[in-house]
Amino acid sequence: MSDDPTLLPPPSYTRERADAVLGEAFRRFAEYVKGARIPGHFVEFGTFRGYTARWMATLMAELGLAGELWLYDSFEGLPEHASDVDRTSYEIAQHKVWRPGSMKLESGIETRIEASLSSVLGGGRVRVVKGFFDRTLPERSPPGPIALAHVDCDLYASARCVLDHLFSRGLLQDGGVLVCDDWNCNRANPRLGERRALAEALEAHPRWEAEPWFSYGWHGQAFFLHDREAHR
């Protein structure tokens, strides 16, 4: 087995299936960013071992996309459940799979991820930010503009924290791509998880709208972001 953690597929995927499903999805994201001439960074919230981050680094290099790759994760597993929305969700209350500390990784993995992806993208363009989102984002926010935001936060509270930060800090742009990896978790219930987080974030920031683009696998959904104040 390779010592490179970014080559390992996400849980529930084989490498072959992950390459087919996630590889194709991220290629579509990156080719759109290039074709539509969307400037900016690729940013991921919930990196785990770095498999999807590797796809982003590879495609940014292959397609000659400028910008940096920013990766956020605690690497300590999921945080304590701070919201009743999460505590009563299917994944926690019934299936008991998103427990605090779930998906905790070995010490120092963030350094290995950064080294691996830097060898792919080069130029000092990979930034790995370790810590829980509510603590790291105020201190080390990704610079704008963002071309692609990949939200793989699992929890409602984490996703809402990330989305509110992105919308309120002016980091997003008209035509940018927002990807919600856990969109169909919690039985795709709109009152739970990332579905509720995005709906509430858009309501709180009415300047923005999210147009569904395409779904991938059983779980993910991509959106085009539109700025209502652009081209009025």
Side-chain angles (χ1 to χ4, degrees):
M1 180 179 295
S2 171
D3 189 50
D4 185 345
T6 71
L7 296 175
L8 298 174
S12 81
Y13 274 101
T14 64
R15 176 66 187 271
E16 181 180 19
R17 181 63 176 159
D19 286 350
V21 173
L22 300 175
E24 174 60 23
F26 278 83
R27 181 168 291 279
R28 289 181 70 180
F29 305 151
E31 288 179 346
Y32 163 76
V33 167
K34 182 177 178 65
R37 297 178 174 86
I38 307 294
H41 307 294
F42 281 36
V43 185
E44 179 172 71
F45 302 93
T47 294
F48 197 49
R49 295 191 181 98
Y51 175 84
T52 51
R54 186 178 186 87
W55 271 108
M56 288 189 281
T58 299
L59 292 164
M60 290 172 74
E62 176 187 324
L63 299 175
L65 298 175
E68 297 174 339
L69 177 60
W70 285 74
L71 307 173
Y72 290 80
D73 201 298
S74 72
F75 302 105
E76 298 291 337
L78 297 178
E80 295 292 331
H81 304 143
S83 168
D84 284 340
V85 175
D86 286 319
R87 283 191 286 265
T88 60
S89 70
Y90 287 108
E91 308 301 344
I92 293 171
Q94 184 167 328
H95 304 312
K96 303 185 187 304
V97 292
W98 286 353
R99 299 180 300 275
S102 294
M103 293 174 279
K104 181 177 181 178
L105 296 169
E106 63 269 24
S107 176
I109 193 170
E110 69 277 9
T111 303
R112 294 165 58 203
I113 290 171
E114 185 167 359
S116 174
L117 299 184
S118 293
S119 71
V120 174
L121 188 55
R125 296 167 61 194
V126 179
R127 308 278 186 259
V128 180
V129 183
K130 180 179 179 179
F132 292 112
F133 306 134
D134 60 344
R135 301 171 190 170
T136 57
L137 282 173
E139 298 175 356
R140 198 175 176 195
S141 176
I146 291 174
L148 168 67
H150 179 219
V151 179
D152 188 3
C153 300
D154 300 338
L155 301 178
Y156 156 81
S158 298
R160 182 66 196 274
C161 171
V162 165
L163 291 168
D164 279 336
H165 182 88
L166 297 180
F167 284 126
S168 64
R169 294 295 183 94
L171 300 173
L172 303 171
Q173 57 184 312
D174 187 53
V177 179
L178 172 67
V179 181
C180 293
D181 186 78
D182 303 299
W183 190 249
N184 290 332
C185 292
N186 289 304
R187 301 186 181 182
N189 190 306
R191 290 174 291 279
L192 299 171
E194 288 181 358
R195 286 178 175 250
R196 178 167 179 160
L198 180 57
E200 292 181 353
L202 291 171
E203 184 177 5
H205 305 279
R207 172 177 173 174
W208 294 95
E209 60 183 355
E211 175 190 355
W213 180 12
F214 72 93
S215 61
Y216 60 94
W218 68 268
H219 52 88
Q221 177 68 44
F223 299 87
F224 295 121
L225 292 171
H226 297 302
D227 182 352
R228 297 178 190 274
E229 296 184 7
H231 307 289
R232 298 179 66 176

